[in-house]
Each structure stands twice: as structure tokens, then as C-alpha cells.
Amino acid sequence: MIRRLLVANRGEIARRVFATCRRLGIETVAVHSDADAGLPFVAEADRAVRLAGNAPADTYLRADLVIEAALRSGADAIHPGYGFLSENAAFARAVIDAGLTWVGPPPEAIEAMGDKVRAKEIAAAAGVPVLSAPAHPTESDLPLLVKASAGGGGRGMRVVRSLDRLDAEIEAARAEAESAFGDGTVFVEPYVEAGRHVEVQIVSSAARTIAIGTRDCSVQRRHQKVVEEAPAPGLPAATEAAMCEAAERLASDIDYRGAGTVEFLYDPATDRYFFLEMNTRLQVEHPVTELTHDGELVETQIAVAEHPGFDLTPRPRTGHAIEVRLYAEDAAYVPQSGRLVTFDLPSDAEFLPLAEFGVRVDSGFGPGDEVSTFYDAMLAKVMAWAPTREQAIRMLVAALRRARIHGVTTNRDQLVEILTDPVFVAGEMTTTWLESRPAPEPPEIDRTTLVAGALMVAAADAERRTVQQGVPAAWRNVVSQPQRTTFEGHDPVEWWGSRDGFVVDRVTVLEVSTTHARLEVDGVVTEARGHISSERPGSPREVWVDGPRVSARLREVPRFTDPADAVASGSLLAPMPGTVVAVKVEAGAEVAAGDVVLVLEAMKMQHTVTAPHDGTVAEINVEPGSQVASGEVLAVVEETA
């Protein structure tokens, strides 16, 4: 029996495993980097061990340090979570050799499926359809997909539509895979443009292997899943049964143990499916299977680790579940970092299956936590479970709209837009749908929201005063002109101060504070809540305003601009905090618009910074290894006259 378990991971998945351990009476141990020291998963563990440093290669990817932490803390078992070392066969063997219980599949099974080239060979031998590219592809074989052999989460993946880009994309995929997984091996396969990503959850013991349903993970951007649901909608019953049978056969052939996922690419046009890979670990999206089936996957993993012959039983399916991944990122999918001032996600449960239909939230963060640049940008998984798919969509949209998140830009509004898109509602999405459709218009920020933000700023200014505190804000004996508050990209908001509060044209101001505004417009009362990011006099402030339909991030335009804040024309600014991993040009070089100037790595992904126009590189201000802040000038390209 397991007495004390260490989770060799961080954030949300560590908290998820800890929740099951608490229910089962198992003590827990967290390992954490310096950047993660203040996160909830560390506080929730019974014991915590510091891994000095921040980079994954220095902390969570150090198998020796993790095992040492387990032995030092008295743990007798290790659960790998997902990512990091979860599919590292050498780590699994080292855990077992150290006399610890490994809560995962046998190292041999990890090895068989961890090399995706070998995995496809094993699948083919088991009679499972596979995709394969010729050794020397031609134009007729395009498009192609470069994939990391040890990959996951979309890292190390590149779509190639021109043969002259193949070598460059292989190099880029190899570098990203090396950074994320410590293994730069990549391979190439055909790329199916309009397929669906369907996966089968399996659980396996020495007694039997059971497929417990399908999931659809087709809504992806940059090959990373954004929305997942169970069961896969619109899948023919015969096809679903064949997929499940193929997954069971493959797991049995490699003598699998525990929980795992077999992923398929499904072509709706031909009703054919192809093996993609097998993930020998718990998936990020495992909760939608837990919600729609009778069982708890982490508990099953622990049961099989303790009793290899544990007799699994089939799990009946109930209702429909949808999960969205809430990321700290902007509308262009650029990861963001900073402090989560407000982080309020409405839910009926956290981390464990719901007893009845409702909303579940699994999150690695809480209010006040810092989102760093060292790890994945996912903040939480928000799930809805309902009797039907339509009800689950409605429930999930409502939960996201009620969420209050201030301090870091997130993809919350994009998630709402995806869930309400007719293509998604109809269940007709493919793996290319999200990135191929026209970019949606940003949510309209109406005048009421702007007025609410402006009055919150005015209330904050009044509250901060140290003199004449009894005088109403902006009150004048003789009014000559209105006060004006301007936010970037919007017309100024004009308002007056009176003895009774604030006055705004065509708006009845019912109540205002630094965090709340209650306004009446055309007979309709609107409640808005918010947060002001900076309280330094004279500094530009960001105001986060949550209205009934949209959450707005408003940046105040200062009345006076410091000339020192201006940057030269052609300056290339860091889109996010991160580390420069490559500089492709030198000062004085001639570049064309779109040429890569440098490569920045943040949150385990690589981002290229390109020349905005034809010209000459006038300045290079960084070098490989440089740590940069968001908005920092990396280089300057002077435009050709």
C-alpha cells in the first residue's frame, strides 16, 4: 500500500493528484522550482521539496533531483502527472530501481510508445491503420507534418506546405523538442487537412484492458488542444467501436498497465481513422472522461500500481462533458505573464468528479499568484457536464462569462466565441478549423463599460487624496469644462463632479467605487466590477472592467507623455517576457520583410521575431541567453528608402 506519494510535476495536475490522495488517505509531497514556491500546489502538499532554479531543465526535468527529493521526504511512490518526465522510460526505471512505487505504466510500454516511429510500427503490426510519409517526399506528398518523437502538447510540430521549407521546419521542430522534452528526434508524416482528432481512454491491469470511451480534441491552435469533449460528437457507432477495440488491442500487445490514451486522426469524409500516437500517461483532458463515466482515473492509476491484478469493470456513460483550457494569452495566442490580481472561476467542484451535472474547475493558480514565463501558460481547465451536448455548451458559456480574471490577459472571450460558433455548436469542427476560419472581431467595448472604467479611476483618485477629502471628486464652484478620461483606442469619456457624485451625459450614475459601478442607461441598470492595476500618481493605469457580456482591459492614456518612452521607428519589441535563444542576423545586415531576426522562447514555446519591412539592421540589443521583458527593444530595422 502507498503511504506517501510525491508528484513529479507542478500546478494544476499536482493539485489534481493531491485531491485524490487526500480522499484515499495518502500523504503527499510536492517538488517545486523557485518560481513556483508560492503557488497553491506547494501549500496543499503535506511536504514540499525545493528544486533550486527555474528552467525545466534545471528542475522538473532533473530525474535525479526528483528521486532524491522522494527519498529525502520519505515518499514511497511517485506519480509523474503529465508532461516533463511522465513519458520518460529511464525515469520510470530509476524510480523502480530506487525501491519506490511507480504510479504509471511499465517502462517497457513507455519505451515502446515513446518513440513515435516505433509506436507506429507496433500499431501497424497490431492491425491498426497508420499514416506514413515516403522517405524522400515530393511536391505531390504535401502538406507534411513534422513531429517530435518524444513530443506532446503541440511542441515540436510544424506543418510544411513547401519542400524548400522542410529542412528549416525540421530544424525548428528539433530545437523546440529538445528544449521541451530533452529529445530533439523528429519524424515526418502526411498532414490530413480536414481531419478530426479523436482519442480513446483506456485503463489496463493484469486482469484486463478496457476502453472507456472517446474524446474529441479537434479544436486546436498551433497543434495544442483548446477544447475537448466526451463523447466525440457525431462519430458513427461502428467506427467508435472499432477505434475502442483497436486501442484495447494495442494496449494489450504492449502489456500496458494503468491509464493511457490512444489518439487517432479521423477523416469524416471517408469514415476512416489512423493511429497518431499513444500517450502513456494521464491526459490534460482526462476529466471529461471522468465526468461522463463512472470512475476516477487517478484512483485507478493508484489501484493498479498497488495491485497489478486489480479487476477493472466497465464504466457506463452518462451525459456529455466539455472542457476548455483557460490560457494566459492574448488574441494572437501570445503567452502572457504577470500577477493574477483577481481569479474567480465559478464552479460546483474542483479536481474530483461531480456527483451531479454542473461545472468543475481544475486550476493551478489562485488570486495573487504570479504567472511566470518558465512554464506552460494554462491557468485552468473549466468543464461543464450536462445531460446533452447543447446543455453542456450553454452551461460552460455561462460559467466563463461569470468569471472574473484581472491582472493577466486571457483567452476567456475567445473561448466563449468558439463555444458559440455555429460550426462548433453543430459539431463540425476539424483540426484546422480554428486557425483557418476568419479571425473573429474583438468584442465590442460599449460606452457603458468605458464610463464605468473612467469613474472607477476617478473614484480611486479621490480616495487617494490626502487633502480636502470631504470635497466631492472633481467638484468646481464654476464649471468651465468636463473632466476627460481617455483609454487607448477609444474616444474620451467626459464627466463632471457634483455635490452628489458623478454626472455623465445620458447615464444615471447610481453607485461608484474603486471596484464597482452601477449605472442606468436607457432604463437598463448595468453592474460592472473591476480592478485598477496601478495606483502610482501620474502613471498610466490599466483598468479591468467586467460587464454583463464582456471583460475589458482598458489602458489609460496619460495626460503627458515622457519623450524618453518613445522608441525609434522600426524597433522590434519583445512580444512577451522570455529568453533569446537565437539571433539570426548581425547589425548592418540587409533584410527583407518577414525575414527572421531572432527567436524568443517563453512558456516552453519558441516565437520568431521578424523584420517588419525591407531594410537594414541598425541595432541588435540582445544575444542568445538574454532575458528580456515584454516591450523591450530587441533590435531596430531601418526601412529602405
Side-chain angles (χ1 to χ4, degrees):
M1 296 290 288
I2 294 172
R3 180 179 60 86
R4 183 178 297 156
L5 180 145
L6 179 146
V7 176
N9 219 291
R10 63 181 296 276
E12 168 266 324
I13 186 57
R15 297 183 75 191
R16 165 69 189 88
V17 177
F18 292 163
T20 294
C21 288
R22 282 194 298 272
R23 189 168 60 79
L24 299 178
I26 299 172
E27 295 180 7
T28 57
V29 181
V31 290
H32 66 87
S33 67
D34 293 334
D36 285 346
L39 292 187
F41 82 96
V42 179
E44 289 177 6
D46 295 305
R47 303 188 181 197
V49 180
R50 173 185 176 238
L51 303 177
N54 287 317
D58 299 328
T59 53
Y60 300 107
L61 287 172
R62 284 286 300 274
D64 56 335
L65 296 182
V66 172
I67 293 173
E68 179 189 343
L71 298 173
R72 187 149 43 100
S73 63
D76 54 3
I78 289 181
H79 189 297
Y82 52 69
F84 293 131
L85 295 167
S86 62
E87 294 181 284
N88 186 310
F91 176 58
R93 285 196 180 93
V95 170
I96 296 168
D97 291 344
L100 303 169
T101 298
W102 169 248
V103 184
E108 294 76 18
I110 298 175
E111 221 159 38
M113 294 293 104
D115 181 337
K116 291 182 173 55
V117 176
R118 182 183 171 198
K120 291 174 73 170
E121 294 171 349
I122 294 172
V128 181
V130 300
L131 286 168
S132 59
H136 303 288
T138 65
E139 291 287 344
S140 62
D141 298 312
L142 297 173
L144 297 169
L145 183 65
V146 182
K147 297 178 69 174
S149 181
R155 299 177 187 90
M157 294 180 69
R158 294 288 192 280
V159 177
V160 181
R161 301 185 184 279
S162 172
L163 284 182
D164 59 6
R165 291 291 305 162
L166 181 59
D167 290 343
E169 297 294 2
I170 288 175
E171 179 186 349
R174 183 176 290 124
E176 192 166 275
E178 180 68 38
S179 172
F181 313 111
D183 182 351
T185 305
V186 299
F187 65 97
V188 180
E189 68 182 19
Y191 181 56
V192 177
E193 291 277 8
R196 284 175 55 188
H197 186 120
V198 178
E199 52 192 38
V200 175
Q201 176 71 58
I202 61 102
V203 290
S204 187
S205 70
R208 69 169 88 179
T209 295
I210 299 174
I212 54 173
T214 59
R215 296 187 289 255
D216 190 293
C217 307
S218 300
V219 182
Q220 303 177 8
R221 52 100 176 104
R222 296 179 181 172
H223 310 295
Q224 284 193 302
K225 301 165 187 174
V226 178
V227 181
E228 301 103 345
E229 57 183 305
L235 198 63
T239 305
E240 182 177 25
M243 282 186 181
C244 289
E245 191 276 331
E248 290 176 343
R249 188 167 64 247
L250 178 60
S252 297
D253 280 3
I254 60 172
D255 200 25
Y256 197 78
R257 298 288 183 271
T261 298
V262 181
E263 299 189 349
F264 296 96
L265 182 64
Y266 173 64
D267 184 355
T270 61
D271 193 28
R272 299 175 64 198
Y273 62 91
F274 305 93
F275 171 78
L276 287 176
E277 62 185 14
M278 181 176 183
N279 289 296
T280 53
R281 55 171 168 81
L282 204 63
Q283 290 281 84
V284 176
E285 58 272 20
H286 77 273
V288 292
T289 295
E290 290 183 330
L291 291 171
T292 53
H293 292 77
D294 180 24
E296 203 256 79
L297 288 172
V298 174
E299 181 180 3
T300 299
Q301 288 182 299
I302 292 173
V304 172
E306 290 182 325
H307 307 289
F310 183 75
D311 190 12
L312 303 163
T313 56
R315 307 175 183 210
R317 183 165 75 192
T318 306
H320 198 95
I322 304 177
E323 169 185 297
V324 294
R325 301 190 188 190
L326 182 69
Y327 282 94
E329 64 182 19
D330 64 16
Y333 307 131
V334 175
Q336 305 290 296
S337 62
R339 191 168 75 93
L340 282 166
V341 179
T342 306
F343 195 54
D344 180 11
L345 303 175
S347 68
D348 301 301
E350 291 183 317
F351 300 110
L352 293 176
L354 291 160
E356 56 186 23
F357 296 129
V359 174
R360 166 178 161 182
V361 172
D362 291 8
S363 174
F365 295 89
D369 288 338
E370 192 77 20
V371 181
S372 77
T373 63
F374 298 103
Y375 314 110
D376 187 84
M378 190 176 75
L379 302 177
K381 304 182 303 196
V382 185
M383 297 146 266
W385 176 41
T388 67
R389 185 173 186 268
E390 293 76 14
Q391 291 170 308
I393 292 173
R394 183 178 64 191
M395 190 183 298
L396 187 51
V397 167
L400 290 170
R401 283 178 171 156
R402 293 199 308 271
R404 296 184 64 221
I405 310 165
H406 303 153
V408 176
T409 298
T410 74
N411 67 333
R412 188 268 302 271
D413 289 339
Q414 287 93 333
L415 293 174
V416 170
E417 195 274 331
I418 289 168
L419 293 172
T420 55
D421 189 292
V423 172
F424 181 83
V425 172
E428 297 173 350
M429 56 283 176
T430 67
T431 56
T432 58
W433 167 65
L434 193 58
E435 292 184 328
S436 63
R437 65 180 187 152
E441 293 293 327
E444 182 181 354
I445 299 175
D446 58 18
R447 182 169 178 267
T448 304
T449 300
L450 296 173
V451 169
L455 297 187
M456 288 179 197
V457 169
D461 289 338
E463 187 178 272
R464 189 171 52 231
R465 288 185 307 187
T466 58
V467 297
Q468 296 183 327
Q469 293 182 342
V471 177
W475 183 80
R476 300 289 187 272
N477 281 321
V478 179
V479 179
S480 62
Q481 59 184 338
Q483 302 292 317
R484 290 180 177 85
T485 302
T486 305
F487 298 113
E488 288 182 358
H490 302 282
D491 294 333
V493 175
E494 295 187 344
W495 55 274
W496 291 262
S498 73
R499 293 182 184 275
D500 301 320
F502 299 102
V503 176
V504 184
D505 282 345
R506 304 190 310 280
V507 176
T508 301
V509 182
L510 302 175
E511 183 182 350
V512 173
S513 71
T514 59
T515 60
H516 176 244
R518 189 163 175 260
L519 312 173
E520 183 178 339
V521 181
D522 297 330
V524 178
V525 176
T526 298
E527 298 272 354
R529 300 188 178 276
H531 169 79
I532 301 172
S533 66
S534 171
E535 290 299 325
R536 291 174 297 155
S539 65
R541 289 169 287 192
E542 288 187 336
V543 187
W544 304 75
V545 182
D546 294 318
R549 302 293 294 178
V550 69
S551 179
R553 180 182 186 177
L554 306 173
R555 183 174 176 81
E556 183 186 21
V557 177
R559 295 181 64 186
F560 306 103
T561 303
D562 187 343
D565 292 336
V567 297
S569 174
S571 294
L572 306 184
L573 308 182
M576 72 205 77
T579 303
V580 176
V581 296
V583 177
K584 298 294 188 179
V585 297
E586 297 180 349
E590 298 294 326
V591 293
D595 284 355
V596 177
V597 177
L598 53 88
V599 180
L600 187 68
E601 183 171 282
M603 296 179 174
K604 300 167 71 174
M605 297 291 284
Q606 292 194 351
H607 308 267
T608 56
V609 178
T610 60
H613 43 241
D614 296 350
T616 303
V617 179
E619 297 178 21
I620 292 288
N621 300 324
V622 294
E623 59 186 20
S626 296
Q627 297 285 327
V628 298
S630 179
E632 185 174 332
V633 178
L634 307 174
V636 177
V637 178
E638 293 182 348
E639 188 170 7
T640 302

